[in-house]
Amino acid sequence: MKITQYLGMTLLLAMSAALSACKKADEPVGPAQKAGAAIDEAGEKVAAKLHEPIDKARAVGKQMEEAAKDTGQQIEQATQDASKGIDKAAEEVGKKVERAGEKMQEAAKK
């Protein structure tokens, strides 16, 4: 069913509920009022069934949001670790190049 049909049904049920509240206290419950009560109850059940998937979708959305935050933090940490590793490797390469240069100068002196 389309959402507009559900909304129409809910509106109809609300109107029925409003009209059923207009009876006098000493009047017995008639068949129309019983039917109205049944329609109200059916509308409440439909509304509850509509809210279940919405609530589930919201819960899943929150879980996805938390997972995305965690993943982002892990990526940031891995990037920082990789950057530190690259800096350290560059420093080691620099030291080795410097040693090689020193060796070349010593060899040239001989």
Side-chain angles (χ1 to χ4, degrees):
M1 294 176 93
K2 295 182 181 176
I3 197 77
T4 54
Q5 291 173 332
Y6 286 122
L7 292 175
M9 188 183 313
T10 305
L11 181 60
L12 177 66
L13 294 174
M15 289 175 25
S16 297
L19 290 175
S20 67
C22 295
K23 74 174 188 86
K24 293 181 183 177
D26 59 342
E27 290 180 2
V29 176
Q33 290 171 330
K34 288 180 183 177
I39 291 171
D40 290 344
E41 185 177 325
E44 289 174 5
K45 288 180 182 178
V46 168
K49 285 184 180 181
L50 284 174
H51 285 284
E52 285 177 26
I54 292 170
D55 293 340
K56 287 180 183 179
R58 285 184 180 149
V60 169
K62 286 184 181 185
Q63 289 174 348
M64 290 176 63
E65 183 180 339
E66 289 298 319
K69 283 181 185 178
D70 291 343
T71 301
Q73 290 172 348
Q74 291 174 359
I75 290 171
E76 184 177 340
Q77 184 63 44
T79 302
Q80 290 174 357
D81 292 346
S83 179
K84 289 177 186 177
I86 289 171
D87 291 344
K88 186 175 180 178
E91 185 179 325
E92 291 296 319
V93 168
K95 288 178 184 178
K96 289 183 181 184
V97 168
E98 188 177 334
R99 285 187 206 131
E102 290 172 357
K103 288 181 182 180
M104 289 173 57
Q105 285 179 354
E106 287 177 14
K109 289 180 185 179
K110 292 184 184 180

